[in-house]
Amino acid sequence: MGENSYSVVSEVATGTDPASMPGVTPLFLVSNISSDSSAVHGGAAPSASAAIPPYLLADAGGAPVGDLGIRRTATTAGLSAAVPAVSMAELTTLRSVPLLRQLGYLPERTLSSFLSAHPAIVPELLAAPPAATEVTGWWASLDSAATATLAEAAPQLVGNLEGIPASVRNEANRRWLNQSITSREDTAATSDSRTLAAQAERELHMLGEVEDALGTQKSVPARSLLSVDPEGQGRAAVVLGDLAEADYVTFLVPGMFFTIDGQINDWTDDAARIYDEQVSWLNLISETDSEEAAKTVAVIAWMGYETPNLTNIGSLDLAEKGRDALAGAIQGLLAERSSDEPYVSVVAHSYGTTAALMAVTEYDFSIDALALVGSPGSAAQSVDELHVRDGNVFVGEAAWDPVPNTAFFGSDPGSESFGAHQMNVGGGVDLITNEVLAASIGHNGYFGAGSESVRNLALIGIGQTELVTEGSADDKEKTLALLHR
């Protein structure tokens, strides 16, 4: 070719899969044209907003050349309308936002072929994802055809990437869940490798537990799948309520010995208990406070990190991973809801309190309330170090729970010097509803039905902290009249 000749990388107009054509790479169909842009599309030079191929432009050696013929363009979030083209080899080396941008330009069959040929791309991207705000900006820059293509061809990526709308993630994760169950059933039934078959059986059971935790279409409230990953002991997050619209959002963070295979259903039930309690309180409070009448809640049964067992409970390694994962999940919510930010609370138990304390200490976002039960502590020395608004930090310690007061991982958040509010979990009679409240006993007794603990955790999650009982004589003053002073 001459000095001013180029190769235009394009999808075949008839929809033919380039991978099926002799002599053509799996990703790109290359044709030689003159540098005269009028040679493209029968004399019409493609504009930067063209939504038809060619969508990438490279010279004869595969190097990027200008901005001709990109398939789709960025339109918002300050992203450039001209994204440089890359070769097949270069695409596999990209990471973070540059990779996301290029994946967003690929047609569905090409994207599917590329991800099938490079199965490590998605796990690696999810292991070191871009900032949630960058993901939100990238997603908003894509047209509806591009987002539909990504959700269909890359459901694992779309479903687990913080910053993408929760409703989109739910649909993508459910698609990936169904696909994964089918593939593992096939592996378990047909594999000649006992190791692979056993792994498939283990992951199949885990994914089945996630499927059960999602309930049915008749479940109230509606449940959605915010994340899912069967690797290791697994990770998942099930949402009760509408995360896109809820006025109050609570993250429920577990502690040691919690696995997807063993506890995702129990943890989702605990989240449902807090959800129901929050709705009941909002209904009661709205009788005297009309501003609360239309408010809604969402509770996330968040199991987004690997929790420790007896062999590694003394290490902070998993707490650090939990810190990062929880921070990412909160940042994802805040990025998605940036124009309509909800009241965000975190309710954490046991080792999960250590991860949560680290997250709200070491990251620069702020939440509205933090409740800690059965906590072994963290490096934070006082409430003043936590990014929690208005000092809304509450600590509950049950009778016969050996973990609180140990300060195993640092300062005890239940100590007077820490400065947190005490949250009573010892049971009694609710002076507002006249209901008998059960006491929490032992390390795993904080989420029992009808308990004072669940009552108080629910109130913390909807911002009604003045009504939280502390087990003192002052509790008799905590009636609905207190809200109107």
Side-chain angles (χ1 to χ4, degrees):
M1 293 191 296
E3 182 175 311
N4 294 319
S5 294
Y6 303 95
S7 297
V8 176
V9 183
S10 70
E11 180 186 15
V12 178
T14 60
T16 303
D17 187 352
S20 67
M21 301 182 65
V24 175
T25 67
L27 183 59
F28 300 141
L29 171 64
V30 180
S31 59
N32 297 328
I33 64 166
S34 164
S35 62
D36 177 5
S37 61
S38 65
V40 185
H41 298 310
S47 67
S49 62
I52 57 175
Y55 57 91
L56 293 175
L57 186 66
D59 65 20
V65 177
D67 61 356
L68 264 181
I70 58 177
R71 180 169 180 261
R72 301 186 180 99
T73 60
T75 57
T76 62
L79 302 178
S80 171
V83 179
V86 297
S87 66
M88 175 69 150
E90 289 174 314
L91 189 60
T92 62
T93 66
L94 294 179
R95 296 295 182 269
S96 193
V97 174
L99 176 58
L100 290 178
R101 288 177 180 172
Q102 294 294 343
L103 294 181
Y105 299 134
L106 301 181
E108 184 176 335
R109 277 186 295 248
T110 306
L111 178 58
S112 296
S113 296
F114 173 71
L115 294 178
S116 294
H118 303 279
I121 287 287
V122 168
E124 289 175 357
L125 185 52
L126 292 174
T133 52
E134 293 183 300
V135 173
T136 298
W138 163 72
W139 189 261
S141 76
L142 300 172
D143 61 30
S144 59
T147 57
T149 291
L150 284 161
E152 182 67 32
Q156 182 185 16
L157 175 65
V158 171
N160 292 278
L161 203 53
E162 301 294 351
I164 291 176
S167 59
V168 176
R169 292 174 63 180
N170 172 55
E171 292 179 3
N173 279 325
R174 287 177 180 267
R175 180 180 300 111
W176 187 83
L177 179 65
N178 292 334
Q179 292 172 352
S180 298
I181 288 175
T182 299
S183 67
R184 283 159 177 78
E185 286 175 339
D186 291 342
T187 300
T190 63
S191 178
D192 293 331
S193 168
R194 291 184 179 180
T195 300
L196 291 179
Q199 179 180 339
E201 288 281 6
R202 180 184 62 80
E203 293 183 352
L204 189 59
H205 187 272
M206 188 187 305
L207 294 173
E209 292 295 300
V210 173
E211 190 174 43
D212 289 344
L214 288 171
T216 68
Q217 291 183 342
K218 296 181 180 180
S219 295
V220 178
R223 300 183 179 190
S224 58
L225 187 56
L226 193 62
S227 64
V228 58
D229 179 7
E231 182 180 355
Q233 71 175 33
R235 289 173 289 280
V238 176
V239 181
L240 293 89
D242 187 349
L243 199 57
E245 299 291 339
D247 299 283
Y248 302 101
V249 175
T250 300
F251 286 84
L252 195 59
V253 183
M256 59 183 181
F257 305 137
F258 271 63
T259 66
I260 299 299
D261 202 38
Q263 280 80 34
I264 183 65
N265 278 283
D266 290 340
W267 200 234
T268 304
D269 288 343
D270 291 341
R273 198 167 294 123
I274 290 177
Y275 177 97
D276 290 342
E277 190 79 5
Q278 288 179 340
V279 171
S280 294
W281 277 106
L282 283 177
N283 289 338
L284 180 60
I285 292 168
S286 67
E287 293 178 5
T288 57
D289 184 354
S290 59
E291 291 185 1
E292 296 298 310
K295 298 290 183 67
T296 61
V297 304
V299 180
I300 305 171
W302 188 85
M303 297 182 69
Y305 79 114
E306 180 180 346
T307 65
N309 53 43
L310 288 176
T311 66
N312 54 10
I313 187 61
S315 169
L316 282 174
D317 290 349
L318 294 179
E320 291 170 351
K321 293 180 180 179
R323 168 201 63 194
D324 297 339
L326 178 61
I330 295 172
Q331 289 172 322
L333 172 66
L334 296 179
E336 182 190 348
R337 298 283 303 274
S338 60
S339 62
D340 178 29
E341 190 171 312
Y343 185 98
V344 178
S345 62
V346 172
V347 171
H349 174 238
S350 185
Y351 191 87
T353 68
T354 303
L357 283 163
M358 293 168 70
V360 298
T361 303
E362 300 174 32
Y363 281 80
D364 60 3
F365 62 83
S366 293
I367 61 174
D368 296 288
L370 173 66
L372 310 167
V373 291
S375 178
S378 77
Q381 296 298 303
S382 81
V383 166
D384 293 337
E385 297 179 36
L386 310 180
H387 298 147
V388 182
R389 297 183 181 98
D390 302 322
N392 285 330
V393 180
F394 293 79
V395 177
E397 300 177 350
W400 301 101
D401 184 351
V403 175
N405 304 319
T406 63
F408 189 84
F409 291 116
S411 179
D412 174 14
S415 66
E416 185 176 352
S417 63
F418 194 85
H421 300 286
Q422 297 301 309
M423 184 191 85
N424 197 45
V425 299
V429 177
D430 192 317
L431 296 181
I432 298 175
T433 64
N434 293 320
E435 294 180 357
V436 176
L437 300 172
S440 297
I441 306 295
H443 189 59
N444 293 320
Y446 294 99
F447 301 99
S451 66
E452 186 176 20
S453 177
V454 167
R455 171 206 189 268
N456 284 332
L457 293 174
L459 287 167
I460 292 168
I462 57 174
Q464 302 295 339
T465 56
E466 292 177 307
L467 300 179
V468 174
T469 53
E470 58 185 31
S472 73
D474 292 338
D475 287 347
K476 67 178 181 296
E477 304 294 332
K478 296 184 176 182
T479 66
L480 294 183
L482 185 65
L483 304 179
H484 303 289
R485 288 182 180 179

